[in-house]
Amino acid sequence: MNTIRIRNARVYNSYTQSFEEKSVLIRGEQFVQLQETEEEMRQKVDQEIDAQGRWMLPGLIDIHMHVESSMTIPTEFSRQALSFGVTTVVADPHEIANVFGLKGIEAFMDSEPVMDIFYGIPSSVPSTNPDCETTGGVIGLEEVEKLLDHPQIRCLGEVMNFKELVSEDETLIKQIIALCRKKRPLLPLEGHCPKISGADLAKFIASGVNADHTQQTPESIVEKITNGMFLEMQGKSINPDTIRTLVDHQFYEYFSLVTDDVMPDHFLHGHLNQVLLSAVKCGLPMEKAIYCSTFTSARRMHLDDRGVIAPGKLADFVLLDSLEDWQVHQVYKNGVLVSEPKTGFAATEKPVSFPQEFYHSLQHRPLTAEDFVIRVASETQSVLVHGIEINPQATFTRLIRTQLPVKNGVVQWQDSGLALIACIERYGKGGHIALAFTQGGIHKQGAVASSWAHDHHNLMVMGSNVQDMVCAANHLLAIQGGYCVCVNEKIQACASLNVGGIVSDQPLAQLASQVEAVRTAMEEQLGYVHHNAVMSFATLSLPVSPEIKLTDKGLLIGKTLEFIPLIIEEQA
């Protein structure tokens, strides 16, 4: 069994949350000793590495994320994440499950990445219920029971459907939780509870779901943690006020840092390490940031064999040239060098193949201009309509009302400052199309379309004119999925997502370049204002995110799951 000694390293001790100058002995896949004396240092080893004073940390552990958010496949994700020192993730595969059900999850789990990718059981596929949105797959009790037997499963993925979770009825999500408790009593139950507090929060936690990764405020942090909830702080929750709250209350045992969603063009530049550095910049001590990106994460998911450099633990670690700006020198997984960013990758990911049906998943006839016409009674002069106001700073939306003129029985919206948005059923289950209006997204002529639409991933298109909407939607149908921008009936930028319409099997750098081009086109050519335009558009169809969203079934209020009509009133 191969033995390695790392000499002259500044080793992070998770138990004291501090750095110590020591040597570390590794045998096979495990740390076996932290060495201090000259006698210990004389032990014979197969390889001795002089760390030259570099920082030695446990590999980072991200316990709430989605591989599909990076729009790439598990092996390509692994290669990139390892280069930043991320050695373990717990992925919730509910995006691929919404498209292909259990078969999609199994396809991901069958891949063999170098890093450890554990999985959560998607608890909400669909995110609400089949009456509110159409999905390609459904995860029910039969699928959950099968997944509970799989060794890669570490948690129940984020429970999103608040209404059914706290219902008096024996809903599906309550049955899923009961099954998890019966078969795996210690399985963590992950939650999704934005803007839920007071009695509603108490009901949420009492159900057994006791973690949340959504956007936090200082007030929500205190309320949730003091009521027994573990928090997973993603980038959009990191600011000086939230970090000050965590530090002032010494909440270090009750939260971890996570990524949730990282777009492919952003993924080229960092992953969990970027969230860690952002937290440090906002006032979280570096030693605490490391602790909450490794040790608390491991404990939450009962990954008791990692997250710390200590005897008997997995030898997953990263050597840094610089701690302050996270300059990675080398990354080791199970005691083996797997990534050396300055000289190239030391490990090769195995190629992955998917069933042919994964490459032919968009099933809808070509769209025509008639599909986007809103007709009312011929004598109508104007209509009062509901609309979606897009928040330029967040994925939350607001319900608005607007008066629009009518001509010859057709609603005239093109000169109103609004955009038209359509959500198109793409799974061959009816092919219906839901329409709505948006305010605050597109400000110029053109359209954007995507088959990556949270979480159901139906085909979505939004535009300021019908011709560009038709062009954009039909382009994605032709290439079997992706993201594109169309202006003057010409495709200006396109990212191909050929696997299920949500991920790509092309190299990450190539995909990232395409997504960056789409982002730029959305911002510059369509005038889309948002700090993450790609994600903003994708979440306009997510019904569990406040307040109002559009699914293929219509306009839906997230908290109550009530549909509201597009047209409120017709006036003669």
Side-chain angles (χ1 to χ4, degrees):
M1 188 176 293
N2 193 54
T3 55
I4 303 173
R5 179 182 292 119
I6 310 291
R7 298 175 52 249
N8 299 325
R10 287 182 274 193
V11 181
Y12 182 77
N13 188 315
S14 301
Y15 302 110
T16 64
Q17 297 163 43
S18 63
F19 286 95
E20 304 168 349
E21 293 189 10
K22 290 186 176 180
S23 293
V24 180
L25 187 65
I26 300 165
R27 182 176 295 116
E29 297 185 349
Q30 293 184 329
F31 299 115
V32 293
Q33 189 180 358
L34 303 181
Q35 297 183 324
E36 298 183 43
T37 67
E38 289 186 12
E39 182 178 349
E40 291 170 335
M41 293 293 290
R42 284 197 292 269
Q43 294 179 16
K44 187 177 180 180
V45 296
D46 298 303
Q47 182 182 6
E48 188 157 291
I49 298 170
D50 187 351
Q52 299 178 343
R54 291 185 174 92
W55 308 87
M56 183 176 178
L57 290 69
L60 300 187
I61 302 173
D62 186 355
I63 61 169
H64 183 87
M65 52 78 64
H66 310 277
V67 171
E68 306 98 308
S69 292
S70 299
M71 302 181 189
T72 191
I73 58 178
T75 49
E76 190 71 9
F77 175 89
S78 167
R79 184 191 64 79
Q80 187 69 12
L82 282 167
S83 71
F84 302 120
V86 182
T87 55
T88 301
V89 301
V90 180
D92 185 337
H94 69 233
E95 313 294 359
I96 199 71
N98 269 276
V99 179
F100 295 120
L102 181 61
K103 193 170 186 178
I105 301 171
E106 290 176 335
F108 268 37
M109 291 196 299
D110 286 345
S111 63
E112 299 181 54
V114 172
M115 76 182 310
D116 283 331
I117 302 182
F118 295 100
Y119 290 91
I121 297 174
S123 64
S124 304
V125 178
S127 66
T128 53
N129 60 64
D131 293 329
C132 295
E133 54 188 309
T134 304
T135 56
V138 173
I139 301 299
L141 289 174
E142 182 180 347
E143 291 82 6
V144 170
E145 181 148 27
K146 185 173 182 180
L147 287 167
L148 283 169
D149 292 329
H150 202 290
Q152 284 177 261
I153 294 296
R154 304 305 305 185
C155 66
L156 180 66
E158 56 181 297
V159 176
M160 297 185 258
N161 192 336
F162 172 78
K163 182 180 178 181
E164 295 194 1
L165 180 68
V166 302
S167 170
E168 294 295 326
D169 299 327
E170 197 63 18
T171 59
L172 175 60
I173 186 57
K174 294 173 74 172
Q175 294 177 60
I176 287 174
I177 289 171
L179 178 59
C180 290
R181 284 174 158 171
K182 179 181 178 180
K183 290 197 70 170
R184 291 176 63 172
L186 297 180
L187 193 76
L189 308 179
E190 299 288 283
H192 174 113
C193 53
K195 296 189 176 182
I196 294 177
S197 62
D200 285 344
L201 179 64
K203 293 176 184 177
F204 201 99
I205 297 173
S207 74
V209 181
N210 62 353
D212 180 40
H213 68 278
T214 59
Q215 190 165 353
Q216 306 299 336
T217 65
E219 295 76 20
S220 72
I221 288 172
V222 173
E223 182 183 18
K224 288 175 179 177
I225 289 180
T226 57
N227 276 278
M229 185 165 265
F230 187 87
L231 294 187
E232 294 153 359
M233 300 288 289
Q234 59 170 295
K236 65 184 180 183
S237 290
I238 305 295
N239 60 61
D241 292 335
T242 55
I243 294 301
R244 187 182 305 112
T245 301
L246 292 165
V247 171
D248 288 349
H249 288 81
Q250 300 285 293
F251 279 151
Y252 304 118
E253 304 300 325
Y254 313 116
F255 79 94
S256 65
L257 300 177
V258 301
T259 60
D260 195 9
D261 301 301
V262 179
M263 299 287 101
D265 50 337
H266 296 163
F267 192 20
L268 286 183
H269 308 291
H271 194 253
L272 184 56
N273 60 306
Q274 295 283 46
V275 180
L276 183 155
L277 292 178
S278 176
V280 171
K281 186 177 180 179
C282 288
L284 186 64
M286 175 62 78
E287 290 81 2
K288 303 297 186 183
I290 296 169
Y291 185 72
C292 295
S293 302
T294 55
F295 197 50
T296 62
S297 306
R299 286 190 307 181
R300 169 66 189 172
M301 291 296 160
H302 302 298
L303 294 168
D304 300 324
D305 59 350
R306 68 196 69 203
V308 57
I309 298 173
K313 305 298 184 181
L314 277 182
D316 294 354
F317 64 96
V318 55
L319 291 173
L320 298 179
D321 290 323
S322 169
L323 188 62
E324 288 71 23
D325 55 5
W326 204 266
Q327 291 183 14
V328 176
H329 175 65
Q330 290 179 330
V331 180
Y332 287 75
K333 181 77 188 77
N334 298 339
V336 176
L337 176 64
V338 294
S339 186
E340 197 166 26
K342 290 184 179 179
T343 60
F345 294 97
T348 302
E349 297 287 1
K350 294 182 179 179
V352 173
S353 63
F354 295 104
Q356 275 303 305
E357 65 195 78
F358 280 33
Y359 296 92
H360 302 280
S361 64
L362 271 69
Q363 301 173 37
H364 196 281
R365 60 168 173 79
L367 281 301
T368 68
E370 182 63 26
D371 291 316
F372 302 112
V373 174
I374 301 171
R375 298 188 183 278
V376 294
S378 58
E379 66 274 11
T380 302
Q381 297 298 308
S382 69
V383 291
L384 182 64
V385 301
H386 280 127
I388 301 170
E389 183 180 62
I390 298 171
N391 187 326
Q393 303 299 328
T395 56
F396 300 140
T397 55
R398 189 172 71 89
L399 180 64
I400 59 173
R401 296 184 174 196
T402 305
Q403 197 81 31
L404 294 175
V406 174
K407 183 178 180 181
N408 298 326
V410 176
V411 177
Q412 305 295 300
W413 57 271
Q414 290 85 346
D415 297 324
S416 65
L418 301 178
L420 183 67
I421 184 171
C423 190
I424 303 155
E425 192 282 312
R426 56 155 274 199
Y427 296 105
K429 298 181 178 181
H432 40 272
I433 301 172
L435 300 175
F437 296 106
T438 62
Q439 178 179 293
I442 290 177
H443 293 89
K444 299 179 183 179
Q445 288 297 304
V448 57
S450 178
S451 56
W452 209 109
H454 268 302
D455 282 339
H456 46 74
H457 302 299
N458 284 294
L459 180 59
M460 195 162 61
V461 59
M462 179 171 65
S464 52
N465 68 80
V466 168
Q467 294 77 16
D468 285 336
M469 293 177 68
V470 171
C471 178
N474 284 340
H475 181 73
L476 294 189
L477 288 173
I479 67 171
Q480 281 297 298
Y483 232 109
C484 74
V485 171
C486 180
V487 177
N488 295 327
E489 299 184 65
K490 293 183 179 179
I491 302 301
Q492 305 296 313
C494 180
S496 173
L497 303 175
N498 60 332
V499 181
I502 61 170
V503 296
S504 173
D505 57 7
Q506 63 185 310
L508 181 67
Q510 184 176 333
L511 171 64
S513 177
Q514 294 172 2
V515 173
E516 177 61 29
V518 169
R519 187 188 305 280
T520 300
M522 288 180 69
E523 295 170 350
E524 296 181 0
Q525 295 184 264
L526 301 183
Y528 203 109
V529 179
H530 197 277
H531 68 87
N532 189 344
V534 172
M535 181 59 70
S536 171
F537 178 57
T539 54
L540 293 179
S541 67
L542 179 59
V544 294
S545 175
E547 170 187 42
I548 176 73
K549 299 296 170 77
L550 179 72
T551 75
D552 64 300
K553 300 292 185 73
L555 278 167
L556 193 65
I557 301 294
K559 187 171 183 180
T560 62
L561 298 185
E562 294 176 321
F563 283 105
I564 59 173
L566 173 60
I567 297 176
I568 306 167
E569 182 182 7
E570 298 182 25
Q571 297 179 347

